[in-house]
Each structure stands twice: as structure tokens, then as C-alpha cells.
Amino acid sequence: MSSFTKSQSMAVRHQDGPLMVLAGPGSGKTTVVTKRVQYMVQEYGIPASSILVITFTKAAATEMKERYLRLMQEEHTSVSFGTFHAVFFNILKLAYGFTAGNILREEVRCQYLKETVERLRLDVDDESEFLSGISAEISLLKNERISPEQYFSKNCSEEIFRTIYTEYEEKKHRARLIDFDDMLLHTWELLTKRPDILSAWQKKYRYLLVDEFQDINQLQYDILKLLAAPEDNLFIVGDDDQSIYRFRGAKPEIMLNFQKDYPAAGQVILNDNFRSTEQIVEAAGRVIVNNQMRFPKEITARGGDGCPVRVLEFPDQQQECIYILKELQRYQQQGRAWSDTAVIYRTNTQPRILLQKLMEFHIPFRVRDQMPNLFEHCIAKNIFCYIRLAMGSRQRRDLLPVLNRPKRYMNRECLDDEIINWEHVLTYYQDKGYVCDRIEKLQYDLKMMSRMGPFAAVNYIRHVVGYDDYLREYAQFRRMKPEELFDVMGELEESARSYKTFDEWFEYVDQYIEEMEQIRRRRQEVKDGVQLTTMHSSKGLEYEQVFILDAAEGITPYKKAVLDEDLEEERRMFYVAMTRAKKELTICYAKKQGSHELAPSRFLQELRGEAAPEGRAGAPAAKAAANRRETGGSRQKTEESLRKAGGNFRNDENRERRNPLAKEMERIHRNRRRGL
């Protein structure tokens, strides 16, 4: 135990009763958990079979088990390591005789939902996105134990949602299948209704250890409390500052109120960060302290002073990405591995330009998340249909998707052949003059578009054809903000702007789609590549060098974050991203995204140790001042680094002149704009 800090030793040596361990980033929490299990068995003589260690992912449970086995120098153990779902399914298996065959596969779940959507004949543009939203809401209802009659859907009307929910549950019940949410709900129901079964499990597992406790939802917590009673040997480890899964039902309030539920619970803070430098730890601390709902902590860095955190402003996203590529090249020339670097972003739609540049210059990379392809979005597909029709296509498959986008009161029966016959279509509606008027307008619009370039055509489809009006109506049906759909249109416009002809643009789109497909196919093949990840997926990882992309208002914090609790979660995500860095952290933002002007993220102001202005969520000035006092002279260092960086890419002109990569990128970009 000599290598352990005082707080780590206190956590390891804890014996009976509830204990909360607040484990900051890089504090060695996994080591503490495994070492504690070893200590319980070897020093306190606690039977290994009475210990249960629970975490959220199979990978984490496996890692903990392997670490423990190495500590004990054993090949097998009777200590139980598992995920919440694995542990709870085991309880159900013994009670009801369930097998793996009773677990609903994800593809079957999707099929059940899809069948109902098709039966209801819902006009849904992006079916997969709609089904994903409905699926998430079903999970939320079960985990929060909310009746469908008391729930207001964010994806459709209440009536439609209740119908989908009811039919899904009926299909599942008839097939004697349970989904992952049922595993939790059925376990809670079983243990509350059968005290004999509950008692048996309480006697089996007298000691419960829970990792990543900040990610727990209410239903999981309620089951844990049942299992831990009456001895309450509940050892929880987590960091409230890293609770970033509210959309999955995780609530930081559960951890914050733990000592109210267990007044006898002790508290240990693992406040030593062995991962990051002092500069990174203190900068991250100045951001997270602005959250109101958190435990106060003073984190000490054990990774040395390090280089200052860089915050850089760029005229646009092109320049932002070029700078990152220059830095990647510099880092690699120093003999570093590509995989030592991560680029972290708020949403998985952000790195589109960066991906293009990485592919152009053959820099290897790995993407941790599923990358959405702009050109495979349902809106893009509709726009391409219009353009193909304008280019002369008479294929039925090109007209059907946009037949009533916007509303023309047409039906697919008017198209009885694979080749469109406009005279036949007009004859079909000859007794409906208002429909014929709309058909003739469509023909006129297609003729006008045929004379345009890509950018002008996209604008024409939006504002003259009336596609934006359709998007407003669709957004109302889906209970979305139309701005979310207009953002996609804006990206398409920006893509089209660089090309003179439809053929040139389509050639680029086809090439991009093929390259994205290649990325998907070889996703696991790249062994040494720059890591691209969202803030959510970066949690638990660490890298020598980290770039945070697009630290601008509307992106981080995300534009949907309006309520105080949402803004606090956004701040926690930014904190998680910052604390992935071990030695170097660069935070970038562009003044423009397409045609939109962007303001720097409020989190950058907080990073400098400044109070949030009126109207923004954050700590009052007194709290910010107290934080500046806590972190001593680190603010001065950060401000110095900002002055050195100039806060502007253009101040790096001399280095750019020496870098042939940057010149080549600019040449390609200029030629594209000219259509060369």
C-alpha cells in the first residue's frame, strides 16, 4: 500500500457500511476498486463469493476481473464481476427460467417498431432516425416507470406514440421476449413482490461495489438499494463532474443525494490526477467549478507543469482543419504515433471537413462513433432527386420521394410506369385543376433549375419550389425545431457552392460516399491512426495530445441546451473532453460555420477564470473569484499562452510559409472554388 495515496488507501481499507468514493479524472479508480476487493478477501477474510462488482460495460467488467486475477495470481475467482444487465438477467433467469433465446435482439426490436410505422402509413423522411428516437423514448418510460398515458413524446403525437408503444409491447409479449429495459424493470418488480427471493440474493451478495456510479439511472439505483439492504455494504465509485448520459436516464442528482439516502455513508475524494499536467488540470477546473450541482473538489496534478493550454480562433472551419493537420504532421515528425492524438467534438456531424482533409492527405485515422454521411441524409436524397429530374431524368424512382415535398396532392397511382409520362399525369388529374397547376409549376421549376449551377439550384429548391415550407411542416409533425433541418440544408449549400456543374458536384458526392464506405469497412483495420471521437465516446480514454473541435456557442454548449441542468451537462462534457489530454490540449473554434457567424463558447471565458456574463448560466462572480484564488497563478500562465498563440491562426503565418502541406491544401481549396 506504500505506492497508494492517503485517500486511495482509505478507500481500499474501508470494510463495512456504505462509502462514496469521488474519483476525478486519472485518479486510478479502477486500481482502487480491484485492490479493495483483494484487501477484503485477503485481509478481512470476506468470502469471495459474497462480493459483487458491477459496472456499465462488458469491457470494463472484463478489465476489472483480469486486473483482480493478476493481483491474486489466480486463474479463476468466485468474486462476481458483471454489468447491470448481466447481473439482473441472471436473477431473472433463475426465477423465471429465461435463456438467451428470450432476449430481444436489437434488429428484431427495430423490425417490430417499423411494422407499426408502416401499418399507420406515417410519412416519415428519415425512418431510421425516427425509429431510433421512438426506441429511446420507450427505454426512458421503462427506466423512469412512466405510464405511456402520462408521457408527451418528442418525436410524434401522443396518440401515435401510444399506439407504437402498445403494439411493440404486445408483439414482444406474444413472442415471450424481453428487451434490455425489461431486464431492469422485471428485476425490480420481482424483488419488490417476492421478499423470499430478495432475501436470498441479499444473503448471497453481502458486499456490492459499483463503478461509474455517476452514470446510474433511478431504476438501477432502486434495485441496488434493495440488494444492499439490510447491511448496506454499498461501495460506490464515480465522479459527478463526469455525468454526461442524461439522455439515457443517468442523473447526477442520485450521486449528489447518496449521503441523504445513507446518512452513515463515508466519503473519500481521490483528488490526485496522475494523467494530466498541471496546466490542463487547472484549466479544466476553472470550467467545471461554474456548475452549481456538484461536489466541491480540489484536484492536484501529478503529471508536472506541462505546456500551456492553447485556445485558437480561426476565420472558418477550413482553416481550423488545416491547422490541425499541420499539427498532426508536426507531431508525427517528432516520432510520435498517430494514435497518441485525439480530435474530440460535440456531435458526430462536426468532423466532415476534417475527414475530407485526412482522406486527401492519406493521414490514417479511426472513428469511434458511427459517422453520419451528409449526402446520405434524407434531405440530401430529396435534393438530389430534384436535381436529377432537372437534368432530364424521367425515372419514377426520382419523382416518388419528392412527389409531395412540398404538398401537391398527388399519389403514386398516377405513375403507373417506371418512366414518367407528364401528359399522362396531367390527364390523370384533369378534373382537379389545383393539382394540374402544381404539376405544371413543378415542370416549370425543373426547367429553370436545368439552367442553374448546383448552389443556385439548391437555393431555388428551398425558396421557390417550397422545400423549406415542407421542412417546417415536417418539423411540426416530428416536434423538432425547423432550424435542425435547415442546418442540413445549409451544409448542402456549402458543399454545392464549390462546383460549377451538377456533374462535378455529383462526381464529388459519389467519391465522398465511396471513401466513407471504405472507412466503415476498414474501421478496425487501422492500428495506428488519429482518434476521432465525440465527447460522449471519449469518456474513460486518454491521449498524449488532444484537439477539441469547434468550441463555439451553439455547438458546445449545444444549441438545444436551454435549461440550467442541460447547460451543466454540456459543461461536464467539455470538462470530460479537456481531461482526456495528458500533455497537450488545444481548443479550437471558427468564427464562421458555412454562412453562419459563431461566437466563442462561454466555456472559453470560464477557462480564463472569468465570471459568466448576465443571461448566461454559470457561477456568480464571487464563486469565479474564489476559484481564481484556488488555482493560484495558473490563470496568468494561460493568459500568457493565449497571447503567445495570438488567439488567431493568422499569427502563425511564418510557420505556414515553411509548411508545404498548408500551401498544397490552400491550392486544392482555391481550385475547387474555381471549378478546376
Side-chain angles (χ1 to χ4, degrees), residues 247-466:
F247 68 96
R248 294 182 188 169
K251 294 180 178 180
E253 303 93 311
I254 295 174
M255 191 166 193
L256 292 167
N257 293 325
F258 182 78
Q259 288 175 303
K260 290 182 181 178
D261 296 332
Y262 295 95
Q267 183 187 101
V268 174
I269 301 178
L270 304 183
N271 54 4
D272 290 284
N273 184 316
F274 297 95
R275 173 189 299 155
S276 306
T277 64
E278 183 181 347
Q279 296 275 355
I280 294 168
V281 169
E282 291 185 349
R286 286 192 296 275
V287 174
I288 198 61
V289 78
N290 289 275
N291 271 3
Q292 303 294 315
M293 290 181 54
R294 66 184 295 269
F295 290 108
K297 310 175 192 71
E298 293 185 15
I299 306 298
T300 301
R302 300 297 185 188
D305 184 42
C307 51
V309 174
R310 293 182 292 178
V311 178
L312 302 178
E313 176 191 277
F314 301 91
D316 54 45
Q317 289 176 307
Q318 287 278 350
Q319 296 294 319
E320 180 185 28
C321 291
I322 289 169
Y323 175 81
I324 291 173
L325 261 68
K326 288 169 55 183
E327 288 297 289
L328 290 173
Q329 185 190 53
R330 177 183 67 82
Y331 205 67
Q332 200 267 342
Q333 287 172 349
Q334 294 174 354
R336 310 291 182 88
W338 293 114
S339 55
D340 286 342
T341 300
V343 181
I344 303 177
Y345 34 86
R346 172 63 180 85
T347 68
N348 59 4
T349 60
Q350 284 173 248
R352 185 175 64 83
I353 297 173
L354 181 62
L355 276 174
Q356 286 177 253
K357 297 300 181 188
L358 291 168
M359 288 187 289
E360 280 179 19
F361 290 90
H362 308 290
I363 293 177
F365 63 91
R366 292 188 67 179
V367 185
R368 286 187 58 83
D369 308 86
Q370 187 67 37
M371 293 296 299
N373 188 335
L374 170 67
F375 304 119
E376 292 177 344
H377 194 284
C378 58
I379 291 175
K381 290 178 179 179
N382 285 348
I383 299 302
F384 294 156
C385 282
Y386 270 118
I387 291 176
R388 282 194 292 269
L389 291 168
M391 292 172 70
S393 170
R394 292 297 176 264
Q395 295 294 318
R396 181 176 183 263
R397 64 175 179 267
D398 286 330
L399 181 57
L400 277 177
V402 296
L403 200 64
N404 287 297
R405 294 172 179 157
K407 194 70 176 175
R408 300 187 178 94
Y409 304 97
M410 300 171 67
N411 60 57
R412 59 179 56 231
E413 281 72 26
C414 71
L415 303 171
D416 57 0
D417 195 43
E418 291 302 314
I419 305 298
I420 304 166
N421 184 326
W422 289 111
E423 291 300 321
H424 173 78
V425 175
L426 286 166
T427 303
Y428 186 91
Y429 289 107
Q430 61 186 343
D431 58 338
K432 296 180 179 176
Y434 64 95
V435 179
C436 290
D437 289 344
R438 286 167 170 79
I439 294 170
E440 289 172 352
K441 182 180 182 303
L442 173 60
Q443 289 179 291
Y444 174 81
D445 288 336
L446 294 174
K447 187 176 180 181
M448 293 297 294
M449 287 160 54
S450 68
R451 304 167 184 172
M452 300 176 183
F455 181 75
V458 174
N459 267 281
Y460 191 92
I461 294 167
R462 295 188 67 176
H463 305 297
V464 180
V465 174

Side-chain angles (χ1 to χ4, degrees), residues 20-269:
M20 175 170 63
V21 179
L22 298 174
S27 60
K29 65 177 179 64
T30 303
T31 300
V32 167
V33 172
T34 52
K35 189 69 179 177
R36 168 166 159 75
V37 177
Q38 180 194 27
Y39 206 85
M40 291 166 68
V41 175
Q42 292 184 338
E43 300 299 324
Y44 296 142
I46 295 170
S49 59
S50 68
I51 301 171
L52 172 62
V53 182
I54 306 178
T55 190
F56 281 84
T57 66
K58 188 177 179 180
T62 302
E63 182 190 358
M64 280 197 176
K65 184 176 181 178
E66 288 174 351
R67 283 202 192 188
Y68 173 73
L69 289 172
R70 286 196 296 270
L71 280 174
M72 301 291 287
Q73 298 181 338
E74 295 177 354
E75 293 184 3
H76 307 284
T77 178
S78 52
V79 176
S80 297
F81 294 85
T83 64
F84 280 95
H85 288 103
V87 171
F88 296 163
F89 183 69
N90 190 49
I91 292 173
L92 295 176
K93 183 168 64 175
L94 293 174
Y96 299 129
F98 284 146
T99 67
N102 296 111
I103 300 174
L104 181 72
R105 300 194 311 276
E106 190 59 33
E107 61 268 26
V108 179
R109 177 185 175 101
C110 187
Q111 184 59 37
Y112 283 176
L113 298 173
K114 186 177 180 179
E115 288 170 359
T116 304
V117 169
E118 290 176 349
R119 188 187 66 76
L120 295 173
R121 297 191 176 184
L122 299 180
D123 187 17
V124 178
D125 252 345
D126 192 336
E127 188 178 73
S128 63
E129 188 267 341
F130 176 73
L131 294 177
S132 177
I134 294 294
S135 180
E137 289 192 298
I138 290 173
S139 294
L140 179 67
L141 258 67
K142 291 183 179 182
N143 285 294
E144 296 290 328
R145 284 159 288 179
I146 302 171
S147 166
E149 286 71 31
Q150 299 174 324
Y151 181 72
F152 295 91
S153 174
K154 296 177 181 177
N155 286 282
C156 57
S157 71
E158 280 67 56
E159 183 181 356
I160 289 173
F161 177 79
R162 288 166 196 158
T163 301
I164 296 173
Y165 182 95
T166 302
E167 291 193 10
Y168 168 74
E169 288 297 303
E170 288 173 351
K171 289 174 182 175
K172 193 158 53 67
H173 181 72
R174 285 197 298 270
R176 202 171 181 265
L177 296 172
I178 61 171
D179 59 28
F180 285 97
D181 305 304
D182 292 331
M183 291 182 191
L184 275 61
L185 189 58
H186 292 347
T187 301
W188 178 78
E189 290 173 344
L190 173 68
L191 298 181
T192 52
K193 293 175 181 177
R194 291 288 303 273
D196 56 328
I197 293 176
L198 172 61
S199 178
W201 285 104
Q202 288 171 336
K203 290 174 182 175
K204 177 173 176 56
Y205 294 129
R206 292 183 51 236
Y207 293 86
L208 277 66
L209 294 85
V210 185
D211 188 29
E212 302 288 2
F213 189 81
Q214 76 280 343
D215 296 333
I216 202 166
N217 65 37
Q218 190 62 53
L219 186 54
Q220 290 166 333
Y221 183 46
D222 289 344
I223 297 170
L224 280 179
K225 287 193 292 184
L226 288 171
L227 291 172
E231 297 181 55
D232 295 335
N233 292 321
L234 186 56
F235 181 94
I236 67 166
V237 184
D239 183 8
D240 55 301
D241 289 333
Q242 297 187 71
S243 179
I244 60 173
Y245 296 120
R246 183 178 285 274
F247 68 96
R248 294 182 188 169
K251 294 180 178 180
E253 303 93 311
I254 295 174
M255 191 166 193
L256 292 167
N257 293 325
F258 182 78
Q259 288 175 303
K260 290 182 181 178
D261 296 332
Y262 295 95
Q267 183 187 101
V268 174
I269 301 178

